[in-house]
Amino acid sequence: QITLKESGPTVVKPTQTLTLTCSVSGFGVSGSGVGVAWIRQPPGKALEWLAVIYWDDDKYYSPSLKSRLTVTKDTSKNQVVLTMTNVDPVDTATYYCARRRWRKFYFDYWGQGTLVTVSS
Amino acid sequence: QSVLTQPPSVSAAPGQKVTISCSGASSNIGNNFVSWYQQLPGAAPKLLIYEAAKRPSGIPDRFSGSKSGASATLAISGLQADDEADYYCGTWDSRLSAEVFGGGTKLTVL
């Protein structure tokens, strides 16, 4: 059974760094062709793709957020970590991680999401 | 402003058929496969259609997808009350080297 679960702080102050962890089971983050992506959704708004990291450590970032994002994976823990620097209230959103496979243009499994509020 | 364009809302009565459009460009829908996601209230998105017209296991054949040029369409027939949800299209944009989504369409079953 494939599952993904996001974890991290529920509240972050403006200008701080947000670190979120995606813990996966049922597949390995270093498995051939495997990718794990981060997608967020501000309250009442649309989905916004943030980043993806593949099994071979290849990474892609949203052009508009690239300077603030870093995505890494910990193979030993089977986790993917997203770091976002200098957060602002507009970064308040539910953050999802999802599985994507190389050359497959869809996210087949999603986590339940975690709501992060940026507020002083 | 989303790279892919969807109507904000659509509605139809139970049992009827509804279509949701997703318009893009040659750098995204025109040259890459489209996927569709259903997001029920308070839930995470769920894959509904992939590679423009394929359904994952467990998705009823009431849901279908198609693509023509730089546009894609999701069709839902035999509407049921529990189809009320937000629907998103998505694909890879080769020019941006980024995944892109539509703005989402809220389906109301009258």
Side-chain angles (χ1 to χ4, degrees):
Chain A
Q1 182 186 2
I2 291 175
T3 63
L4 301 91
K5 187 172 184 179
E6 308 85 353
S7 60
T10 56
V11 180
V12 183
K13 293 185 183 337
T15 74
Q16 287 187 338
T17 294
L18 168 65
T19 300
L20 294 171
T21 300
C22 177
S23 300
V24 314
S25 63
F27 69 95
V29 297
S30 59
S32 182
V34 167
V36 175
W38 287 94
I39 298 148
R40 71 179 179 180
Q41 185 174 36
K45 296 189 177 181
L47 301 172
E48 179 185 19
W49 176 82
L50 301 178
V52 63
I53 184 168
Y54 287 102
W55 83 103
D56 60 357
D57 220 37
D58 199 10
K59 305 167 189 177
Y60 295 87
Y61 295 98
S62 164
S64 62
L65 293 167
K66 186 173 184 177
S67 63
R68 300 172 51 210
L69 296 176
T70 302
V71 63
T72 59
K73 57 180 172 61
D74 185 330
T75 302
S76 65
K77 295 181 180 179
N78 216 25
Q79 294 177 333
V80 171
V81 176
L82 178 74
T83 301
M84 177 183 288
T85 61
N86 192 27
V87 298
D88 181 270
V90 300
D91 296 313
T92 294
T94 296
Y95 287 75
Y96 298 99
C97 58
R99 190 180 80 159
R100 190 189 191 282
R101 289 176 289 164
W102 182 248
R103 301 304 292 171
K104 299 295 185 182
F105 300 95
Y106 55 89
F107 303 101
D108 53 359
Y109 292 91
W110 294 66
Q112 63 188 24
T114 185
L115 175 61
V116 177
T117 301
V118 180
S119 173
S120 55
Chain B
Q1 196 153 351
S2 302
V3 173
L4 305 181
T5 301
Q6 296 181 236
S9 63
V10 295
S11 62
Q16 296 297 303
K17 178 180 178 178
V18 69
T19 60
I20 299 172
S21 61
C22 177
S23 178
S26 58
S27 61
N28 43 66
I29 295 178
N31 281 286
N32 293 308
F33 285 118
V34 175
S35 54
W36 289 91
Y37 304 89
Q38 177 192 59
Q39 187 175 34
L40 296 171
K46 180 175 80 171
L47 179 64
L48 202 61
I49 296 287
Y50 67 99
E51 295 178 357
K54 298 178 181 178
R55 289 184 307 276
S57 173
I59 301 299
D61 59 7
R62 300 189 297 107
F63 295 89
S64 62
S66 62
K67 173 186 150 177
S68 177
S71 294
T73 301
L74 172 69
I76 310 172
S77 60
L79 272 177
Q80 300 176 0
D82 56 7
D83 293 333
E84 274 208 351
D86 293 324
Y87 292 84
Y88 292 91
C89 58
T91 188
W92 182 257
D93 190 298
S94 302
R95 181 179 64 84
L96 298 173
S97 289
E99 196 81 24
V100 293
F101 289 102
T105 299
K106 182 174 180 61
L107 168 63
T108 300
V109 181
L110 301 171

